Amino acid sequence: MNTLLFPLEDAKISVIGLGYVGLPLAVEFAKKYPVVGFDISSSRVSQLSQGIDHTLEVEDELLQSVLETSKSYLDQKKGGFYPTSDPRDIADSNVYVVTVPTPTDKHNRPVLTPMLKASESISKVLKKGDVVVYESTVYPGVTEEECVPVLESGSGLTFNQDFFVGYSPERINPGDKEHTVSKILKVTSGSCPEAADFIDDLYKSVITAGTFKATSIKVAEAAKVIENSQRDINIAFVNELSKIFNLLDIDTQEVLEAAGTKWNFLPFRPGLVGGHCISVDPFYLAQKAQEVGYHPEIILAGRRLNDSMGKHVATEVIKHMMRKDLKVMESKVLILGFTFKEDCPDVRNTRVIDIYQELRNFDINVDVYDPWANSEEVAHEYKINVLSSEKQPDLSEYSAIILAVAHKEFKAWTIQKSDKQVVYDVKGMLDKTLVDARL
C-alpha cells in the first residue's frame, strides 16, 4: 500500500451532501467510524441534529443512536455522526465522500456545479494522504477530468502523489426499506491500485452485501450511468406498447401478464418516469457521446417517449370525459399522488406535474392530493398547492380521478367508475373493472 495511505481503522469521514443518498451512507459509516455530515442547508442540518429525517430514508431511532450533539464527542473506536453546515468542521477528516445532486438544466444538459463546489470546499482542507470519493452520477471522465483539477488547484497538492480519489456510484432506491444502502452490492474504484484497495475495503467494512471493484474510475462511472439508462429504455418500450395497445383496444397490463409467463421476459410496466436518476442519467451519457462525435438515437428516443407520457395521460382522460358527455372546461379533476414514486416523499422531477399542466391548458380545475408529499416543498418547487392530507377528499365532487401514484393508502379507498365520472389508473393498481382506462 502507498505509504501515504493510512490504516483503515484510522479513517475519519466527511460526507458532503445529506440528502436521500448522503444521509443513509453517513449513518451506516457512523456505526463504525467518526463521521461529519456536511450540507449547505442549515434547516436540513438543524432537523437532523434533532434526530429527524424528513426524507424518511433513515428511521429516527437509528439516526438518534449515532447522533452526536458535539463534534468533540466523535469517537474513533465507536464512531458517531455530527451534522453541520459549517465547512470548517470537515477539516479534520481524511476521507471525503461526495453525494451531492447532479441535475440537468432546462435544456437537459448536465449541471456539474454542485460537484465542483463540493470539490472546491474539500480542496481548502485537503491534506497529504487524504482520499476523496465521489458517488454522484456523472458521465465517464468527470471525476478525473473535472473534479481532480479543482482539488489540485485549491489545495496545491498533486493528484495520486499527495492525495487520491475514487468513484463508488450510489445505488439508493428512495422509499425502499428492503434494499437499503448496506444491502445493495457496491461498485468501487480508485485512482491507483492502492487507492482502489483502500476504498474497496472501506465500503466492504460497512456494506454487508459486498463490493465489486471496477478496473478504473471511468468504468465505474460508466456502469452507473448505463444502469438507469437501461431501465429508462425498457420502460420507454412498454410505454410505447401502451400507446399502441390503447389504439387497438387491448389492455396492456393483460398483455404484459401473458408475455411475462416466458422465463426471460423482462417485467417492466408502463408509467411516468421521474425522480433524480432514471429520468436524468441518460442525458449525462448522451452529453458525453455527443462530445466525442456520436449522436445517440435509442437513448434520446427513450427519453422523449417517456417525457411524453404525462401529456398522453391527460389527453386520454379528456377523451374519456368527452365520451361520457362530461364537461371538460371548468370541470374538476382530482390527481391522486404527486411524488415521483409510491410510498416515498420525494417530489424531485416528478412527472405528475406534466399531467397537471396539460389539464390546466384545457382550463380544468385540478386538485392534487398526496399524503406523502410535503405541501411547502411542492408549492416552492412547482408553484401549486396540494390538498390537505388531514382528510380524504370527497371523490364525488370530481368529473375525473387520476390515480397517478400507487401509494398504499389509496389501495384501501373505494374508487370505481360511473357514468358521471372517469377513473384513470396510471399505475395499474386497481382492478380493470373499476376503471375506465389504465396505462
Side-chain angles (χ1 to χ4, degrees):
M1 176 175 284
N2 191 300
T3 55
L4 281 176
L5 284 167
F6 49 88
L8 186 62
E9 58 268 22
D10 293 338
K12 293 181 289 185
I13 303 170
S14 277
V15 175
I16 314 300
L18 298 176
Y20 284 84
V21 175
L23 181 65
L25 182 67
V27 169
E28 205 61 42
F29 274 134
K31 296 176 183 178
K32 192 167 186 176
Y33 305 99
V35 177
V36 173
F38 174 80
D39 199 285
I40 59 174
S41 171
S42 56
S43 60
R44 172 68 167 158
V45 169
S46 175
Q47 182 191 66
L48 294 177
S49 298
Q50 299 172 49
I52 301 170
D53 171 31
H54 77 82
T55 69
L56 306 181
E57 289 302 301
V58 176
E59 294 181 0
D60 292 350
E61 184 178 353
L62 175 57
L63 176 58
Q64 292 162 10
S65 71
V66 298
L67 192 64
E68 295 292 351
T69 56
S70 172
K71 183 170 176 285
S72 62
Y73 283 96
L74 291 178
D75 190 289
Q76 188 66 47
K77 296 185 183 298
K78 295 181 181 179
F81 171 61
Y82 177 72
T84 180
S85 56
D86 187 343
R88 293 173 296 183
D89 287 330
I90 68 174
D92 295 334
S93 299
N94 48 27
V95 176
Y96 298 91
V97 183
V98 178
T99 60
V100 297
T102 44
T104 54
D105 64 16
K106 63 181 180 180
H107 302 296
N108 294 321
R109 294 175 300 199
V111 176
L112 298 177
T113 304
M115 283 190 73
L116 299 179
K117 288 290 186 182
S119 300
E120 184 179 339
S121 296
I122 294 170
S123 75
K124 295 176 182 178
V125 297
L126 199 63
K127 306 170 294 299
K128 283 191 175 183
D130 286 356
V131 177
V132 184
V133 184
Y134 293 89
E135 290 213 357
S136 308
T137 302
V138 292
Y139 53 78
V142 166
T143 300
E144 293 160 294
E145 297 166 12
E146 302 289 344
C147 296
V148 165
V150 175
L151 295 173
E152 286 189 311
S153 175
S155 67
L157 300 176
T158 302
F159 172 51
N160 264 354
Q161 179 178 315
D162 298 323
F163 70 93
F164 309 90
V165 303
Y167 183 78
S168 181
E170 62 90 359
R171 281 177 167 173
I172 292 292
N173 186 26
D176 191 336
K177 300 307 178 184
E178 179 180 354
H179 301 97
T180 54
V181 61
S182 65
K183 298 177 183 177
I184 303 174
L185 193 139
K186 202 83 163 69
V187 173
T188 67
S189 64
S191 55
C192 66
E194 293 83 6
D197 289 341
F198 177 87
I199 292 167
D200 191 65
D201 288 341
L202 177 66
Y203 279 100
K204 194 179 295 180
S205 69
V206 296
I207 303 296
T208 57
T211 60
F212 177 91
K213 187 165 56 176
T215 55
S216 71
I217 288 176
K218 286 185 179 180
V219 166
E221 291 170 325
K224 169 57 180 176
V225 80
I226 72 164
E227 287 175 17
N228 288 326
S229 297
Q230 182 187 68
R231 286 186 59 79
D232 193 44
I233 291 167
N234 279 312
I235 297 171
F237 173 62
V238 293
N239 273 337
E240 187 162 61
L241 292 180
S242 176
K243 290 184 175 183
I244 295 170
F245 293 147
N246 176 65
L247 295 172
L248 298 175
D249 196 26
I250 300 174
D251 187 272
T252 305
Q253 302 289 339
E254 292 178 353
V255 174
L256 295 175
E257 183 179 354
T261 59
K262 190 169 186 244
W263 77 92
N264 61 352
F265 185 82
L266 302 178
F268 287 91
R269 292 291 182 268
L272 305 175
V273 184
H276 66 298
C277 285
I278 298 179
S279 62
V280 173
D281 296 355
F283 290 120
Y284 274 75
L285 184 57
Q287 169 76 17
K288 191 62 178 179
Q290 290 168 340
E291 285 181 7
V292 295
Y294 180 81
H295 180 75
E297 298 183 35
I298 294 176
I299 295 171
L300 294 179
R303 276 284 73 237
R304 287 192 295 271
L305 197 143
N306 283 339
D307 279 345
S308 73
M309 294 308 293
K311 182 176 182 179
H312 171 73
V313 168
T315 301
E316 289 300 305
V317 169
I318 291 171
K319 286 180 181 178
H320 282 280
M321 290 174 68
M322 295 174 69
R323 288 169 185 156
K324 288 190 175 185
D325 200 24
L326 298 174
K327 178 184 177 182
V328 174
M329 293 182 64
E330 302 301 328
S331 64
K332 290 184 66 176
V333 172
L334 175 65
I335 298 177
L336 295 178
F338 192 78
T339 60
F340 92 88
K341 64 179 294 188
E342 64 275 5
D343 305 332
C344 170
D346 196 346
V347 298
R348 289 176 297 171
N349 201 31
T350 175
R351 296 334 312 160
V352 179
I353 188 64
D354 298 338
I355 301 176
Y356 177 93
Q357 291 174 338
E358 186 64 18
L359 292 174
R360 289 294 298 135
N361 287 339
F362 286 85
D363 294 329
I364 294 174
N365 298 304
V366 185
D367 286 341
V368 177
Y369 177 86
D370 192 317
W372 285 81
N374 181 292
S375 58
E376 293 181 359
E377 185 177 1
V378 174
H380 178 266
E381 293 296 327
Y382 299 97
K383 306 299 185 291
I384 67 172
N385 296 316
V386 297
L387 297 176
S388 170
S389 59
E390 294 182 0
K391 67 175 183 178
Q392 179 180 328
D394 184 353
L395 303 185
S396 65
E397 294 181 0
Y398 298 94
S399 299
I401 298 172
I402 303 173
L403 182 59
V405 186
H407 291 316
K408 57 187 177 184
E409 287 88 346
F410 298 150
K411 296 179 182 179
W413 289 19
T414 301
I415 302 175
Q416 56 186 15
K417 64 180 180 180
S418 72
D419 294 337
K420 298 181 180 180
Q421 187 180 71
V422 170
V423 177
Y424 192 98
D425 186 0
V426 174
K427 298 296 293 184
M429 188 177 80
L430 302 176
D431 187 275
K432 178 185 176 181
T433 61
L434 301 177
V435 302
D436 292 276
R438 57 185 184 177
L439 276 183

